[in-house]
Amino acid sequence: MGAGGMALAGAGRKLATSIGVIATTLFGLLALTFIIGRMVPADPVLAILGDTFDQAAYDRVYQSLGLDRPLYVQFFQYVQNIVQLDFGQSNVTKNMVASDLARVFPATLELAILAIFIGTVLGVPLGIVSAVRRGTWVDHLGRVVGLLGHSTPIFWLGTMVILIFYAGLGWIPGGGRIDLYNDGLVDGPTGMLILDAALAGEWEVFASAIHHILAPALLLGYAAMAYLSRMSRSFMLEQLGQEYILTARAKGLAQRPIVWKHAFRNIRVQLLTVVTLAFCGLLDGAVLIETVFGWPGLGQYLTAALFYADMNAVLGSVLLIGLISIVINLLSDIVYRFVDPRTR
Amino acid sequence: MTTVPKLRAWLLTEDFTSARHARAHQAYLSWLRFSSNPLAFGGLAVIVLLTLIAALAPLVATYDPFAQDFSRALQAPSAAHWFGTDELGRDVYSRLVWGARTTLYIAILVTVIVGPIGFVIGATAGYLGGWVDTVLMRITDIFLAFPSLVLALAFSAALGPGIENAVIAIALTIWPPVARLVRAETLTFRHSDFVVAAELQGASTPRILFRYIVPLCAPSVIIRLTLNMASIILTAAGLGFLGLGAQPPMPEWGAMAAQGRQYLLDAWWLTAVPGIAILIVSLAFNLLGDGLRDILDPKHG
């Protein structure tokens, strides 16, 4: 036993704590969406019955919805439904919300993954170079990019991109995921069109899908890049001021290994955290960008549901987005344990 | 002529004659540091200008923002209509000016709601610790688990569209980071000698919180709230864009941009102009926030 057993017990306790935290957050997520659902001033019975009904019919529906029971029983029922992936029926599409979500979600995932990739690949090096060459033109450029990214309304930028690059120059398609004549050719396992087309070897569909995703993904990626470059700059500056860097410089190590071998190793964990946060923030932008570009994903589904006051669909989408955030945070927590030896 | 250099000398000297003198000296130094940062100064100038425009909207606007005139619909920018006219023939410049009121109204109201909530929750959690801390922070985490616009969308969907509901929805999503910040600051003072001394003298918990803890957290919270203004404005514009914020015919920049999208190819100015206004104002708040951070919080400078 000894030290090893102690460490194992410590790790077990940590795991138990983080499972407890996730469980309470999940519970809170459900409670919050339940409360939001009850806040709606519209009568859910009228949504089902329409205009013409008698009192008996009203009472019957009222009871079948469980509205006559105490709130905690209703909440319990709600949790039970959610666990069975029953989010209720959409008033607009008349499908079950769960199957609608399964249909639209891959489109958003595809967009978000590409965007976070673009944001990370461009943003992190920009931030690091800005920190290393503090005060030079690179640093100023990085600062301008970051500030604009923080301050630009993304729905407006998207509209302007459509105006200039679609209407003006004709470089990008007008919206959607794919050209009409390529639509429906690929019905793959993942629902992510680019991946499915590549798997099926349909290269024309693949090219069309790439062509369509480029503008929205770059815009979303830009917002993520602004945040990531700013954060990685400040992490890097903090490391470069440390004494071990001074030691490395004193023993004559070149700039490149100092930055990439020494300092970068120590900011990886922090970077992982902010990339996670950027991904969650990106889902916000996705709601607006999908609406602007007619991208048939979760964001567009959510805004359409909002427009028609389709509460089941709204709450289902919001719950799904909350769940994604929790899962992403959990994943980053797990990866962190592998990357950072101190947390083992 | 000689009074100005005298005043400067009095402000700069470190031979203080009174506590007030020392405070004036401190404030003057901060001002010098702030005004030597042209970007932050520019941000402040834009915000002052915005406030003036909002306050004097009836004088600054050239037309009635609600007056419709179909014979003038969708006119391009000209000498008579600086930013053109919209699909109902209303003057875009005048609507932009009145829209400044909506923007400031939302940003200020949200900040006024969020500041005290953040202070009370954060300071209570940090000072009392134990299970109170755990419960409050778990609740905060739940709110933080949602991306903020998505949560604001859900709340405004439940509350119904409208500007007051948008304010409530945004406030509900913005308070958690403020509470977190106040808690973290409180923890650093929690066991300071002056707090312990006050406890030993029998000061009540509210007295310690409001007289000792809150004033010390104030600078970093003010920076945070200033930087938050930018994201409040962007979120409000996003809600307006999706039709959940201010309702027509009220002039609101996000909603103006959204309505303009239908005429994008014929009348680009309907979308371009309000978007640029949102960009400039949120940029100004970001610059001001950064500048304030450099002065009030030198450790992150």
Side-chain angles (χ1 to χ4, degrees):
Chain A
M1 280 296 270
M6 294 264 284
L8 210 63
R13 198 163 41 241
K14 250 183 212 157
L15 193 67
T17 322
S18 52
I19 288 174
V21 169
I22 289 160
T24 43
T25 313
L26 270 177
F27 180 80
L29 212 63
L30 291 169
L32 201 57
T33 44
F34 177 75
I35 293 167
I36 293 172
R38 299 295 127 158
M39 272 160 51
V40 184
D43 189 336
V45 178
L46 296 187
I48 292 174
L49 285 174
D51 292 334
T52 49
F53 56 88
D54 54 16
Q55 190 59 38
Y58 184 93
D59 291 342
R60 206 165 51 243
V61 174
Y62 190 81
Q63 275 179 18
S64 74
L65 287 175
L67 293 172
D68 55 336
R69 291 192 233 147
L71 265 185
Y72 70 91
V73 178
Q74 290 185 36
F75 179 62
F76 186 68
Q77 184 63 46
Y78 173 75
V79 173
Q80 221 170 25
N81 289 343
I82 298 292
V83 169
Q84 294 165 1
L85 293 180
D86 177 7
F87 298 92
Q89 194 188 24
S90 160
N91 292 338
V92 177
T93 63
K94 300 291 173 204
N95 296 327
M96 295 308 282
V97 171
S99 68
D100 275 347
L101 290 177
R103 182 170 47 79
V104 296
F105 181 56
T108 298
L109 197 61
E110 186 176 36
L111 186 60
I113 289 175
L114 191 58
I116 197 70
F117 178 75
I118 293 170
T120 310
V121 165
L122 296 178
V124 171
L126 179 63
I128 289 174
V129 174
S130 296
V132 174
R133 310 208 170 164
R134 194 178 183 184
T136 63
W137 65 269
V138 184
D139 191 16
H140 294 308
L141 179 77
R143 200 176 138 91
V144 170
V145 166
L147 268 169
L148 285 179
H150 272 293
S151 313
T152 314
I154 195 164
F155 61 85
W156 172 78
L157 196 61
T159 314
M160 290 296 109
V161 164
I162 288 182
L163 179 65
I164 295 168
F165 293 100
Y166 166 67
L169 300 169
W171 290 359
I172 59 167
R177 285 177 90 184
I178 192 140
D179 292 326
L180 211 54
Y181 58 85
N182 280 326
D183 199 11
L185 286 184
V186 175
D187 188 19
T190 64
M192 288 190 255
L193 216 47
I194 295 177
L195 204 59
D196 288 343
L199 287 177
E202 292 275 0
W203 298 110
E204 199 185 326
V205 178
F206 180 79
S208 172
I210 292 275
H211 195 201
H212 278 78
I213 205 173
L214 217 52
L218 278 172
L219 281 167
L220 275 180
Y222 171 61
M225 173 182 121
Y227 172 69
L228 288 173
S229 74
R230 194 181 166 117
M231 296 314 282
S232 38
R233 177 180 182 272
S234 85
F235 294 154
M236 202 65 187
L237 277 180
E238 197 188 330
Q239 289 299 327
L240 291 178
Q242 301 279 328
E243 283 179 350
Y244 73 89
I245 296 290
L246 196 64
T247 311
R249 284 196 207 285
K251 73 180 188 191
L253 206 59
Q255 175 79 333
R256 200 174 281 264
I258 287 180
V259 172
W260 294 102
K261 286 237 171 80
H262 288 249
F264 185 69
R265 282 181 76 86
N266 286 316
I267 63 170
R268 283 183 311 182
V269 173
Q270 288 168 301
L271 281 181
L272 191 68
T273 312
V274 290
V275 170
T276 313
L277 285 174
F279 189 84
C280 296
L282 204 129
L283 295 172
D284 260 356
V287 173
L288 294 166
I289 277 292
E290 285 185 7
T291 310
V292 171
F293 280 88
W295 189 261
L298 188 55
Q300 205 193 28
Y301 182 70
L302 174 60
T303 49
L306 285 170
F307 189 74
Y308 295 107
D310 184 359
M311 270 329 267
N312 282 341
V314 170
L315 291 180
S317 313
V318 170
L319 201 58
L320 180 60
I321 292 173
L323 273 176
I324 298 166
S325 300
I326 292 180
V327 169
I328 300 271
N329 278 309
L330 179 66
L331 283 179
S332 103
D333 208 44
I334 292 170
V335 175
Y336 217 90
R337 272 158 221 264
F338 283 104
V339 177
D340 187 357
R342 283 167 304 183
T343 54
R344 263 178 220 148
Chain B
M1 280 297 274
T2 56
T3 52
V4 173
K6 248 191 201 162
L7 181 67
R8 269 180 61 94
W10 181 77
L11 282 168
L12 286 173
T13 180
E14 288 184 358
D15 300 327
F16 303 123
T17 48
S18 68
R20 230 180 33 205
H21 185 184
R23 267 201 294 276
H25 169 76
Q26 270 300 328
Y28 185 64
L29 284 192
S30 297
W31 168 251
L32 283 184
R33 229 179 310 157
F34 179 78
S35 53
S36 69
N37 179 346
L39 288 174
F41 197 72
L44 181 66
V46 169
I47 292 161
V48 169
L49 190 68
L50 177 80
T51 316
L52 284 178
I53 289 175
L56 305 173
L59 301 175
V60 180
T62 45
Y63 291 85
D64 178 352
F66 301 107
Q68 301 181 5
D69 181 356
F70 287 97
S71 64
R72 297 169 178 279
L74 297 179
Q75 281 185 357
S78 64
H81 297 282
W82 296 345
F83 294 141
T85 58
D86 68 5
E87 73 278 12
L88 300 174
R90 297 173 298 195
D91 182 50
V92 173
Y93 167 72
S94 303
R95 287 182 66 74
L96 202 69
V97 165
W98 282 87
R101 280 198 174 181
T102 319
T103 300
L104 268 187
Y105 175 79
I106 294 177
I108 292 172
L109 210 56
V110 169
T111 305
V112 166
I113 296 172
V114 162
I117 294 177
F119 266 123
V120 169
I121 292 183
T124 312
Y127 179 71
L128 292 179
W131 65 268
V132 178
D133 185 27
T134 311
V135 170
L136 288 176
M137 284 305 110
R138 274 293 87 74
I139 295 173
T140 314
D141 284 345
I142 291 163
F143 277 84
L144 279 174
F146 288 101
S148 61
L149 179 69
V150 170
L151 190 59
L153 283 176
F155 277 117
S156 12
L159 296 165
I163 189 166
E164 278 78 18
N165 289 342
V167 167
I168 297 171
I170 298 172
L172 279 169
T173 62
I174 294 252
W175 69 267
V178 180
R180 273 267 184 99
L181 178 70
V182 175
R183 174 178 175 270
E185 293 273 307
T186 306
L187 285 178
T188 62
F189 309 127
R190 174 66 191 88
H191 297 293
S192 304
D193 289 344
F194 67 94
V195 173
V196 177
E199 281 173 345
L200 287 176
Q201 287 182 337
S204 66
T205 302
R207 187 181 166 84
I208 290 175
L209 284 182
F210 288 106
R211 295 295 297 270
Y212 295 85
I213 306 248
V214 167
L216 283 170
C217 303
S220 47
V221 174
I222 289 170
I223 298 165
R224 183 72 205 215
L225 289 175
T226 312
L227 286 169
N228 259 351
M229 289 269 197
S231 57
I232 293 169
I233 287 169
L234 287 180
T235 309
L239 287 180
F241 180 77
L242 295 173
L244 286 167
Q247 294 301 297
M250 190 179 202
E252 196 271 330
W253 294 346
M256 284 166 69
Q259 280 162 17
R261 273 180 70 217
Q262 296 164 23
Y263 307 93
L264 188 61
L265 300 186
D266 307 316
W268 54 268
W269 56 89
L270 289 184
T271 309
V273 169
I276 292 171
I278 300 167
L279 170 60
I280 290 174
V281 171
S282 79
L283 190 63
F285 275 111
N286 273 328
L287 289 171
L288 178 67
D290 279 354
L292 284 179
R293 179 168 51 199
D294 292 346
I295 299 169
L296 295 174
D297 198 9
K299 61 180 181 279
H300 292 118

